[in-house]
Amino acid sequence: LQHRKFPFLKDHEVTTEETLKAEEGIGKFQRKRHCQKHKNHELVFYCENCNTLVCTACTVVDHRPGKDHNPVEISTVAQKKKETLQGLLQEIDPRLQETQVSVKEVEKKMANLTSSKEAATDEATAYFHQLHDLLQRRENEVLSEIDEQCRADGKALQTKKEAIEFELAGLTSAQTFCQQAVEHGSDWHILEVGDQVQTRLETLLTKQLDLESDWSEFQFVEETTVGDFAKEIQSIGGLRTNVDPSKCKVIVKPAVQGFECVAVLKTMNKDARPCVTNSNMKDPSGNDVTTQLQMKSGDEWEISYTPKVKGKHRLEVKINSQHVAGSPFDVDVLDRDTPVLTIG
């Protein structure tokens, strides 16, 4: 056998796979271990002080029983270790079962992860496609307005040009006729048409001509700047988390007419993950009051608004489309001349 050709494998026993699989043959064919120092001696003792396996020869010299060495038969030490391990095995069974249950729970969630991702992706894609369509529609509307304005201005400028050209033609004709009469007309011809030409020229010279065009270049105006839109877009869409709206808290601070006012929303989100939050406010007449949401941290939002009138306003705050505890809130907006003390 090839296994026999190597000197360092000469003490190895070779057996078949079938023999190794037989239970009665396992003990027989376990490989024997020999002492590195005393090659012909098997390791049959365990020195507990040194934590090492030793042979009979070692117990005579290097590991002689005494204060520094305590060689014990391997079988005795192994039996103690087996008992210790068996005790640990009994203790580990409940933990093993608990861990297996947790693994199954995680596997269940992992199995739902793909479908959850696909559903959220489809919804997000449809939502942003609608936004894209709205932007595209608005773009087309603005471009159409530009084209329409261009056509209207072009028509007006053409009419203006034709009117000026008509005046130019009259001036040119009168100039040419007068110049020919002066340069080539006889005396009797000058006397005959002179008064008529004079009247015509004086009329043209005294006529008030509207030569200026009131057209000015038109340009596209950003009603909402790209920078402002970039800020607003951060609140468009988002992920729904397991935040419980009923456990959230809103702190409404004193509000004064004409000043920026704030309310603070604490989402009680221990994971510090953002959630879909929105707010709206109405004044005493039911008109909308613009509110702005800004995340201060993972579990705290600031709701800012500037009321234009005094009186009782109503503030709605929702998380994942559900009212938070206490919403809608009554906000009593004070007159701008009312002194207000705010602490914190």
Side-chain angles (χ1 to χ4, degrees), residues 108-343:
K108 183 178 179 181
K109 293 180 179 180
M110 291 177 64
N112 295 331
L113 180 61
T114 300
S115 60
S116 178
K117 174 192 173 185
E118 291 176 351
T121 300
D122 292 342
E123 292 174 0
T125 300
Y127 175 74
F128 284 104
H129 279 175
Q130 291 177 1
L131 293 179
H132 177 269
D133 292 342
L134 289 175
L135 287 174
Q136 186 67 55
R137 187 184 309 166
R138 182 56 184 159
E139 178 186 358
N140 293 336
E141 290 174 354
V142 173
L143 294 179
S144 178
E145 291 176 6
I146 293 174
D147 290 340
E148 183 63 30
Q149 187 66 45
C150 182
R151 284 193 293 269
D153 288 357
K155 184 177 180 180
L157 289 173
Q158 180 63 32
T159 301
K160 187 67 177 180
K161 177 185 175 185
E162 292 175 356
I164 295 175
E165 287 178 340
F166 177 79
E167 297 295 338
L168 177 62
L171 287 171
T172 303
S173 175
Q175 179 194 39
T176 301
F177 184 78
C178 181
Q179 188 171 4
Q180 289 180 347
V182 171
E183 294 179 356
H184 304 292
S186 60
D187 293 340
W188 63 267
H189 183 70
I190 291 295
L191 294 175
E192 184 178 37
V193 300
D195 292 340
Q196 180 182 355
V197 173
Q198 181 179 350
T199 301
R200 173 61 175 163
L201 289 175
E202 289 175 348
T203 300
L204 291 173
L205 291 174
T206 57
K207 183 179 180 181
Q208 295 294 326
L209 298 181
D210 184 12
L211 300 179
E212 295 293 332
S213 170
D214 58 358
W215 179 83
S216 61
E217 294 185 4
F218 53 82
Q219 60 182 354
F220 172 73
V221 178
E222 295 181 1
E223 298 295 345
T224 302
T225 66
V226 175
D228 291 339
F229 187 77
K231 296 178 182 178
E232 294 294 333
I233 204 172
Q234 297 300 320
S235 61
I236 297 178
L239 292 178
R240 176 173 296 177
T241 62
N242 57 354
V243 177
D244 186 354
S246 66
K247 296 181 179 179
C248 296
K249 182 180 181 180
V250 174
I251 302 173
V252 180
K253 297 187 177 182
V256 179
Q257 173 191 0
F259 291 89
E260 183 179 74
C261 309
V262 297
V264 178
L265 165 66
K266 292 185 178 294
T267 62
M268 307 302 178
N269 187 353
K270 296 181 179 180
D271 295 332
R273 294 173 56 193
C275 52
V276 181
T277 308
N278 55 68
S279 65
N280 62 77
M281 173 178 272
K282 292 191 179 295
D283 65 14
S285 300
N287 299 317
D288 290 329
V289 178
T290 302
T291 60
Q292 292 185 341
L293 272 169
Q294 184 176 4
M295 182 186 291
K296 293 299 184 180
S297 63
D299 62 348
E300 184 174 301
W301 296 70
E302 182 180 86
I303 306 169
S304 60
Y305 58 94
T306 304
K308 297 181 180 180
V309 298
K310 64 179 181 178
K312 185 173 292 186
H313 290 56
R314 174 155 289 197
L315 173 65
E316 289 186 350
V317 182
K318 296 181 179 180
I319 294 179
N320 297 335
S321 302
Q322 298 181 30
H323 283 280
V324 302
S327 177
F329 302 92
D330 289 333
V331 182
D332 190 13
V333 177
L334 304 178
D335 185 82
R336 66 174 70 245
D337 297 326
T338 304
V340 176
L341 175 62
T342 302
I343 300 178

